Amino acid sequence: MRTAVVVTLLGLGAIAVAAGLVLQLHAYPLLAKLQHDIDTVSVSEGEGVTAVVHPPGKAPEVRHNLRLTATTHVEGDLAAPEIKKNGDVTVWKRATIVKEDAEKLVLSAEVRRICLDRRTGEAVAPCHGEFYETEQGKRVTAQDRQLLQPGLSFVFPFDTEQRDHRWYDTVLKRPVDIHFAGEQLLQGLDVYRFQHTVPPTALDRLAVPGYLVGSPEPSVEVTRYYGVTRTLLVEPRTGAVLSVREDIRQELRTDEQAEGAGTPVFAGELRLTNASVTANVDQVKENLPRLFTITVLPVVLWAGGAVLLAAGLVLLALRRRGAAAGSLALVIGACLAAAITYGVTTSSDPDDALDLENVVSSSNVDYGLR
């Protein structure tokens, strides 16, 4: 009877430990990765915004108390040469267009294409076809092995740490440290808050009509300044950015004007709508059970397996019989658990559902958006 108990304890312990190892060593790298076939649309809104608008057939003018809508579409480029099943790199394209609601006039638009490490979310190079375009027809492309858009742009790393990260600013065209600012609850999820403030920074020199900056001259040389306070709410286990709020300030200053005395190009706050935040939260809640399986469950299995193995070995030492049966139980349990766990996790690989042989590069991500 005691021999049967020893065999059972050792077998179950081996099953638990082996399953935990396979989940950690095989399932985690297989499943904890950014998807290739992402296709999402999110919306940000702002009220009481001051901005320069360009009415059709008329001169640009500064308007106040505008209501704005910014629409962002992110899509995976499955035709990119970097895309491979179970590869370490994915390629995403993003288009954002900002319009004022009354006349649907476009205030700004941008298109980006970037290669990302599937586990850290960091931009990587070389990246065939990487670019950004903030003025239609004026596309900036990466050269050779150049890292054109370094840092984080879409997501944070899996198991996000409470430390500074580098977030790519699409206006500055460089990454800026974004700081961990605390924890909070968002629709039932524990999230990390990251925040940074970019002080007013000179971007470029340009000539503008004098009337636009309060000058009687037909044309005036000014410097464009930009600053922003950005707040991101991040689900730490997945690295998903659930909420975005940006308080943006841009102004045109003549050489004689001090900070705040220039002409506002954009002054106001854009924040992700409640509907978009809820959609992001729902997506994370859907993914968390799978992530639990490959992060927390291995630890539980190791702890439980260790207890069972220890109990079995103690009984074996006291009994001094059943060593052969116990050893066999260890081997069979470990092999059985490893094989079953490996098979189940492999069949759950989302990359297996992708047909990468018959795809063409999508034109959906563009200024027009869907």
Side-chain angles (χ1 to χ4, degrees):
M1 180 65 180
R2 184 175 292 183
T3 299
V5 173
V6 169
V7 169
T8 300
L9 290 173
L10 293 178
L12 291 175
I15 288 173
V17 172
L21 285 172
V22 173
L23 287 174
Q24 179 65 31
L25 301 178
H26 173 67
Y28 186 84
L30 188 71
L31 303 179
K33 59 190 179 186
L34 299 180
Q35 64 188 95
H36 284 318
D37 57 341
I38 187 172
D39 191 353
T40 64
V41 175
S42 59
V43 178
S44 296
E45 293 178 339
E47 294 184 355
V49 177
T50 295
V52 171
V53 299
H54 298 263
K58 298 181 182 179
E61 59 186 76
V62 177
R63 292 185 182 177
H64 304 279
N65 295 318
L66 296 174
R67 180 179 175 86
L68 307 182
T69 298
T71 306
T72 297
H73 180 200
V74 178
E75 184 177 56
D77 187 356
L78 298 181
E82 292 84 3
I83 297 290
K84 295 178 175 59
K85 287 187 178 181
N86 297 317
D88 295 328
V89 176
T90 192
V91 182
W92 288 1
K93 298 183 290 185
R94 188 184 85 170
T96 298
I97 189 165
V98 182
K99 296 181 179 181
E100 59 84 30
D101 290 357
E103 299 178 39
K104 306 302 181 184
L105 300 177
V106 176
L107 272 64
S108 65
E110 68 164 20
V111 185
R112 304 172 60 196
R113 184 180 186 277
I114 188 170
C115 295
L116 306 171
D117 185 293
R118 298 184 75 184
R119 292 176 177 85
T120 68
E122 290 263 355
V124 295
C127 180
H128 178 77
E130 181 186 5
F131 71 86
Y132 64 78
E133 182 178 335
T134 54
E135 293 183 56
Q136 199 158 14
K138 296 183 179 180
R139 181 166 293 186
V140 178
T141 58
Q143 303 297 320
D144 300 323
R145 300 183 65 88
Q146 176 188 8
L147 188 57
L148 189 63
Q149 303 166 85
L152 303 173
S153 290
F154 301 93
V155 298
F156 279 64
F158 284 93
D159 296 321
T160 300
E161 297 178 1
Q162 297 180 1
R163 60 172 177 84
D164 288 358
H165 293 266
R166 298 190 313 152
W167 186 261
Y168 182 79
D169 189 294
T170 58
V171 178
L172 295 177
K173 304 296 189 295
R174 60 178 173 84
V176 181
D177 282 347
I178 190 162
H179 316 292
F180 174 73
E183 300 180 51
Q184 67 182 75
L185 199 64
L186 178 67
Q187 296 186 19
L189 286 179
D190 292 316
V191 299
Y192 290 173
R193 184 173 64 258
F194 287 91
Q195 189 173 57
H196 64 194
T197 296
V198 176
T201 303
L203 296 178
D204 49 21
R205 293 279 290 179
L206 63 157
V208 300
Y211 76 88
L212 195 61
V213 293
S215 171
E217 300 295 327
S219 179
V220 177
E221 288 284 331
V222 296
T223 301
R224 183 164 62 107
Y225 284 82
Y226 159 80
V228 63
T229 295
R230 180 177 289 114
T231 302
L232 309 177
L233 298 183
V234 178
E235 199 291 311
R237 289 162 291 183
T238 61
V241 177
L242 306 180
S243 175
V244 180
R245 185 172 76 247
E246 295 178 308
D247 187 2
I248 304 167
R249 295 290 183 270
Q250 289 195 49
E251 67 173 350
L252 303 177
R253 295 187 216 164
T254 63
D255 293 338
E256 296 78 24
Q257 289 177 318
E259 179 181 334
T263 300
V265 177
F266 190 102
E269 183 179 270
L270 289 173
R271 65 171 63 199
L272 215 58
T273 63
N274 290 335
S276 290
V277 172
T278 298
N280 293 338
V281 169
D282 289 344
Q283 183 63 52
V284 167
K285 287 181 177 179
E286 182 180 324
N287 291 332
L288 281 178
R290 185 179 69 176
L291 200 60
F292 170 87
T293 302
I294 58 178
T295 54
V296 179
L297 186 57
V299 177
V300 175
L301 289 171
W302 293 335
V307 171
L308 292 171
L309 288 174
L313 291 173
V314 169
L315 290 177
L316 184 62
L318 294 175
R319 176 78 173 170
R320 299 184 183 276
R321 293 174 60 185
S327 299
L328 185 62
L330 281 172
V331 173
I332 293 176
C335 292
L336 183 63
I340 293 175
T341 308
Y342 184 92
V344 170
T345 54
T346 299
S347 66
S348 302
D349 182 9
D351 282 10
D352 284 346
L354 300 178
D355 179 10
L356 300 181
E357 301 298 326
N358 302 294
V359 294
V360 293
S361 185
S362 170
S363 60
N364 288 330
V365 177
D366 207 339
Y367 286 111
L369 293 164
R370 287 194 293 187

PDB file of all heavy atoms in Angstrom, residues 120-141:
ATOM      1  N   THR A 120       9.517  42.764 -26.379  1.00  0.00           N
ATOM      2  CA  THR A 120       9.784  44.007 -25.659  1.00  0.00           C
ATOM      3  C   THR A 120       8.977  45.183 -26.189  1.00  0.00           C
ATOM      4  O   THR A 120       8.816  46.184 -25.495  1.00  0.00           O
ATOM      5  CB  THR A 120      11.275  44.370 -25.742  1.00  0.00           C
ATOM      6  OG1 THR A 120      11.605  44.715 -27.102  1.00  0.00           O
ATOM      7  CG2 THR A 120      12.140  43.209 -25.291  1.00  0.00           C
ATOM      8  N   GLY A 121       8.466  45.078 -27.435  1.00  0.00           N
ATOM      9  CA  GLY A 121       7.761  46.201 -28.039  1.00  0.00           C
ATOM     10  C   GLY A 121       8.683  47.278 -28.574  1.00  0.00           C
ATOM     11  O   GLY A 121       8.222  48.280 -29.131  1.00  0.00           O
ATOM     12  N   GLU A 122       9.992  47.111 -28.439  1.00  0.00           N
ATOM     13  CA  GLU A 122      10.961  48.101 -28.908  1.00  0.00           C
ATOM     14  C   GLU A 122      11.108  48.033 -30.422  1.00  0.00           C
ATOM     15  O   GLU A 122      11.021  46.963 -31.034  1.00  0.00           O
ATOM     16  CB  GLU A 122      12.328  47.842 -28.266  1.00  0.00           C
ATOM     17  CG  GLU A 122      12.388  48.153 -26.778  1.00  0.00           C
ATOM     18  CD  GLU A 122      12.952  49.529 -26.500  1.00  0.00           C
ATOM     19  OE1 GLU A 122      13.379  50.210 -27.451  1.00  0.00           O
ATOM     20  OE2 GLU A 122      12.978  49.920 -25.317  1.00  0.00           O
ATOM     21  N   ALA A 123      11.351  49.191 -31.031  1.00  0.00           N
ATOM     22  CA  ALA A 123      11.658  49.228 -32.452  1.00  0.00           C
ATOM     23  C   ALA A 123      13.004  48.559 -32.700  1.00  0.00           C
ATOM     24  O   ALA A 123      13.922  48.669 -31.878  1.00  0.00           O
ATOM     25  CB  ALA A 123      11.711  50.674 -32.941  1.00  0.00           C
ATOM     26  N   VAL A 124      13.109  47.849 -33.823  1.00  0.00           N
ATOM     27  CA  VAL A 124      14.349  47.156 -34.168  1.00  0.00           C
ATOM     28  C   VAL A 124      14.724  47.477 -35.610  1.00  0.00           C
ATOM     29  O   VAL A 124      13.888  47.857 -36.429  1.00  0.00           O
ATOM     30  CB  VAL A 124      14.222  45.629 -33.985  1.00  0.00           C
ATOM     31  CG1 VAL A 124      14.005  45.272 -32.529  1.00  0.00           C
ATOM     32  CG2 VAL A 124      13.072  45.070 -34.830  1.00  0.00           C
ATOM     33  N   ALA A 125      16.003  47.312 -35.909  1.00  0.00           N
ATOM     34  CA  ALA A 125      16.525  47.524 -37.250  1.00  0.00           C
ATOM     35  C   ALA A 125      17.529  46.405 -37.549  1.00  0.00           C
ATOM     36  O   ALA A 125      18.078  45.797 -36.620  1.00  0.00           O
ATOM     37  CB  ALA A 125      17.197  48.892 -37.349  1.00  0.00           C
ATOM     38  N   PRO A 126      17.780  46.096 -38.838  1.00  0.00           N
ATOM     39  CA  PRO A 126      17.229  46.757 -40.014  1.00  0.00           C
ATOM     40  C   PRO A 126      15.757  46.431 -40.209  1.00  0.00           C
ATOM     41  O   PRO A 126      15.284  45.392 -39.777  1.00  0.00           O
ATOM     42  CB  PRO A 126      18.080  46.193 -41.159  1.00  0.00           C
ATOM     43  CG  PRO A 126      18.496  44.839 -40.669  1.00  0.00           C
ATOM     44  CD  PRO A 126      18.702  44.992 -39.193  1.00  0.00           C
ATOM     45  N   CYS A 127      15.067  47.349 -40.877  1.00  0.00           N
ATOM     46  CA  CYS A 127      13.625  47.183 -41.102  1.00  0.00           C
ATOM     47  C   CYS A 127      13.316  47.647 -42.518  1.00  0.00           C
ATOM     48  O   CYS A 127      13.315  48.857 -42.802  1.00  0.00           O
ATOM     49  CB  CYS A 127      12.838  47.998 -40.075  1.00  0.00           C
ATOM     50  SG  CYS A 127      11.036  47.869 -40.252  1.00  0.00           S
ATOM     51  N   HIS A 128      13.080  46.694 -43.403  1.00  0.00           N
ATOM     52  CA  HIS A 128      12.805  47.005 -44.806  1.00  0.00           C
ATOM     53  C   HIS A 128      11.514  47.821 -44.916  1.00  0.00           C
ATOM     54  O   HIS A 128      10.463  47.408 -44.452  1.00  0.00           O
ATOM     55  CB  HIS A 128      12.667  45.708 -45.607  1.00  0.00           C
ATOM     56  CG  HIS A 128      12.341  45.922 -47.046  1.00  0.00           C
ATOM     57  ND1 HIS A 128      13.283  46.315 -47.965  1.00  0.00           N
ATOM     58  CD2 HIS A 128      11.166  45.815 -47.721  1.00  0.00           C
ATOM     59  CE1 HIS A 128      12.713  46.435 -49.154  1.00  0.00           C
ATOM     60  NE2 HIS A 128      11.423  46.130 -49.032  1.00  0.00           N
ATOM     61  N   GLY A 129      11.624  49.006 -45.509  1.00  0.00           N
ATOM     62  CA  GLY A 129      10.436  49.817 -45.734  1.00  0.00           C
ATOM     63  C   GLY A 129       9.981  50.638 -44.546  1.00  0.00           C
ATOM     64  O   GLY A 129       8.874  51.179 -44.569  1.00  0.00           O
ATOM     65  N   GLU A 130      10.794  50.764 -43.499  1.00  0.00           N
ATOM     66  CA  GLU A 130      10.400  51.607 -42.364  1.00  0.00           C
ATOM     67  C   GLU A 130      10.313  53.062 -42.808  1.00  0.00           C
ATOM     68  O   GLU A 130      11.173  53.555 -43.550  1.00  0.00           O
ATOM     69  CB  GLU A 130      11.401  51.471 -41.220  1.00  0.00           C
ATOM     70  CG  GLU A 130      11.023  52.315 -40.002  1.00  0.00           C
ATOM     71  CD  GLU A 130      12.087  52.292 -38.908  1.00  0.00           C
ATOM     72  OE1 GLU A 130      13.160  51.708 -39.127  1.00  0.00           O
ATOM     73  OE2 GLU A 130      11.830  52.882 -37.838  1.00  0.00           O
ATOM     74  N   PHE A 131       9.282  53.774 -42.337  1.00  0.00           N
ATOM     75  CA  PHE A 131       9.143  55.181 -42.714  1.00  0.00           C
ATOM     76  C   PHE A 131       8.215  55.885 -41.738  1.00  0.00           C
ATOM     77  O   PHE A 131       7.513  55.269 -40.946  1.00  0.00           O
ATOM     78  CB  PHE A 131       8.572  55.315 -44.136  1.00  0.00           C
ATOM     79  CG  PHE A 131       7.125  54.940 -44.260  1.00  0.00           C
ATOM     80  CD1 PHE A 131       6.122  55.875 -44.008  1.00  0.00           C
ATOM     81  CD2 PHE A 131       6.743  53.654 -44.614  1.00  0.00           C
ATOM     82  CE1 PHE A 131       4.775  55.538 -44.118  1.00  0.00           C
ATOM     83  CE2 PHE A 131       5.402  53.309 -44.722  1.00  0.00           C
ATOM     84  CZ  PHE A 131       4.424  54.258 -44.475  1.00  0.00           C
ATOM     85  N   TYR A 132       8.231  57.207 -41.827  1.00  0.00           N
ATOM     86  CA  TYR A 132       7.169  58.028 -41.248  1.00  0.00           C
ATOM     87  C   TYR A 132       6.885  59.165 -42.221  1.00  0.00           C
ATOM     88  O   TYR A 132       7.746  59.598 -42.987  1.00  0.00           O
ATOM     89  CB  TYR A 132       7.508  58.550 -39.849  1.00  0.00           C
ATOM     90  CG  TYR A 132       8.685  59.487 -39.768  1.00  0.00           C
ATOM     91  CD1 TYR A 132       8.580  60.826 -40.138  1.00  0.00           C
ATOM     92  CD2 TYR A 132       9.917  59.047 -39.274  1.00  0.00           C
ATOM     93  CE1 TYR A 132       9.653  61.701 -40.042  1.00  0.00           C
ATOM     94  CE2 TYR A 132      10.999  59.902 -39.167  1.00  0.00           C
ATOM     95  CZ  TYR A 132      10.860  61.223 -39.559  1.00  0.00           C
ATOM     96  OH  TYR A 132      11.931  62.068 -39.464  1.00  0.00           O
ATOM     97  N   GLU A 133       5.636  59.631 -42.210  1.00  0.00           N
ATOM     98  CA  GLU A 133       5.208  60.695 -43.117  1.00  0.00           C
ATOM     99  C   GLU A 133       4.207  61.568 -42.386  1.00  0.00           C
ATOM    100  O   GLU A 133       3.118  61.128 -42.024  1.00  0.00           O
ATOM    101  CB  GLU A 133       4.569  60.083 -44.367  1.00  0.00           C
ATOM    102  CG  GLU A 133       4.129  61.105 -45.398  1.00  0.00           C
ATOM    103  CD  GLU A 133       3.545  60.435 -46.641  1.00  0.00           C
ATOM    104  OE1 GLU A 133       3.901  59.265 -46.925  1.00  0.00           O
ATOM    105  OE2 GLU A 133       2.709  61.078 -47.302  1.00  0.00           O
ATOM    106  N   THR A 134       4.590  62.815 -42.123  1.00  0.00           N
ATOM    107  CA  THR A 134       3.703  63.755 -41.438  1.00  0.00           C
ATOM    108  C   THR A 134       3.149  64.808 -42.397  1.00  0.00           C
ATOM    109  O   THR A 134       2.223  65.535 -42.036  1.00  0.00           O
ATOM    110  CB  THR A 134       4.440  64.456 -40.284  1.00  0.00           C
ATOM    111  OG1 THR A 134       5.644  65.052 -40.789  1.00  0.00           O
ATOM    112  CG2 THR A 134       4.804  63.459 -39.198  1.00  0.00           C
ATOM    113  N   GLU A 135       3.731  64.898 -43.596  1.00  0.00           N
ATOM    114  CA  GLU A 135       3.181  65.723 -44.657  1.00  0.00           C
ATOM    115  C   GLU A 135       3.034  64.840 -45.877  1.00  0.00           C
ATOM    116  O   GLU A 135       3.993  64.186 -46.293  1.00  0.00           O
ATOM    117  CB  GLU A 135       4.097  66.909 -44.985  1.00  0.00           C
ATOM    118  CG  GLU A 135       4.216  67.926 -43.880  1.00  0.00           C
ATOM    119  CD  GLU A 135       5.083  69.111 -44.299  1.00  0.00           C
ATOM    120  OE1 GLU A 135       4.751  69.746 -45.332  1.00  0.00           O
ATOM    121  OE2 GLU A 135       6.079  69.379 -43.623  1.00  0.00           O
ATOM    122  N   GLN A 136       1.844  64.808 -46.441  1.00  0.00           N
ATOM    123  CA  GLN A 136       1.586  63.893 -47.540  1.00  0.00           C
ATOM    124  C   GLN A 136       2.565  64.156 -48.695  1.00  0.00           C
ATOM    125  O   GLN A 136       2.749  65.277 -49.154  1.00  0.00           O
ATOM    126  CB  GLN A 136       0.145  64.030 -48.028  1.00  0.00           C
ATOM    127  CG  GLN A 136      -0.324  62.845 -48.831  1.00  0.00           C
ATOM    128  CD  GLN A 136      -1.842  62.729 -48.849  1.00  0.00           C
ATOM    129  OE1 GLN A 136      -2.537  63.667 -48.483  1.00  0.00           O
ATOM    130  NE2 GLN A 136      -2.350  61.587 -49.257  1.00  0.00           N
ATOM    131  N   GLY A 137       3.218  63.075 -49.132  1.00  0.00           N
ATOM    132  CA  GLY A 137       4.198  63.174 -50.203  1.00  0.00           C
ATOM    133  C   GLY A 137       5.610  63.441 -49.728  1.00  0.00           C
ATOM    134  O   GLY A 137       6.544  63.426 -50.531  1.00  0.00           O
ATOM    135  N   LYS A 138       5.803  63.669 -48.417  1.00  0.00           N
ATOM    136  CA  LYS A 138       7.144  63.916 -47.870  1.00  0.00           C
ATOM    137  C   LYS A 138       7.486  62.809 -46.886  1.00  0.00           C
ATOM    138  O   LYS A 138       7.463  62.995 -45.668  1.00  0.00           O
ATOM    139  CB  LYS A 138       7.204  65.286 -47.191  1.00  0.00           C
ATOM    140  CG  LYS A 138       6.995  66.448 -48.156  1.00  0.00           C
ATOM    141  CD  LYS A 138       7.134  67.791 -47.447  1.00  0.00           C
ATOM    142  CE  LYS A 138       6.949  68.940 -48.433  1.00  0.00           C
ATOM    143  NZ  LYS A 138       7.081  70.268 -47.750  1.00  0.00           N
ATOM    144  N   ARG A 139       7.769  61.660 -47.437  1.00  0.00           N
ATOM    145  CA  ARG A 139       8.019  60.462 -46.628  1.00  0.00           C
ATOM    146  C   ARG A 139       9.496  60.361 -46.266  1.00  0.00           C
ATOM    147  O   ARG A 139      10.367  60.514 -47.117  1.00  0.00           O
ATOM    148  CB  ARG A 139       7.563  59.225 -47.385  1.00  0.00           C
ATOM    149  CG  ARG A 139       7.748  57.917 -46.654  1.00  0.00           C
ATOM    150  CD  ARG A 139       6.963  56.806 -47.311  1.00  0.00           C
ATOM    151  NE  ARG A 139       5.516  57.029 -47.182  1.00  0.00           N
ATOM    152  CZ  ARG A 139       4.602  56.158 -47.564  1.00  0.00           C
ATOM    153  NH1 ARG A 139       4.949  55.013 -48.120  1.00  0.00           N
ATOM    154  NH2 ARG A 139       3.310  56.441 -47.402  1.00  0.00           N
ATOM    155  N   VAL A 140       9.770  60.086 -44.990  1.00  0.00           N
ATOM    156  CA  VAL A 140      11.137  59.879 -44.512  1.00  0.00           C
ATOM    157  C   VAL A 140      11.337  58.386 -44.300  1.00  0.00           C
ATOM    158  O   VAL A 140      10.582  57.755 -43.551  1.00  0.00           O
ATOM    159  CB  VAL A 140      11.398  60.645 -43.200  1.00  0.00           C
ATOM    160  CG1 VAL A 140      12.807  60.374 -42.700  1.00  0.00           C
ATOM    161  CG2 VAL A 140      11.171  62.139 -43.403  1.00  0.00           C
ATOM    162  N   THR A 141      12.348  57.824 -44.958  1.00  0.00           N
ATOM    163  CA  THR A 141      12.576  56.384 -44.890  1.00  0.00           C
ATOM    164  C   THR A 141      13.897  56.077 -44.198  1.00  0.00           C
ATOM    165  O   THR A 141      14.802  56.904 -44.157  1.00  0.00           O
ATOM    166  CB  THR A 141      12.580  55.762 -46.297  1.00  0.00           C
ATOM    167  OG1 THR A 141      13.596  56.398 -47.079  1.00  0.00           O
ATOM    168  CG2 THR A 141      11.235  55.951 -46.969  1.00  0.00           C
TER     169      THR A 141
END
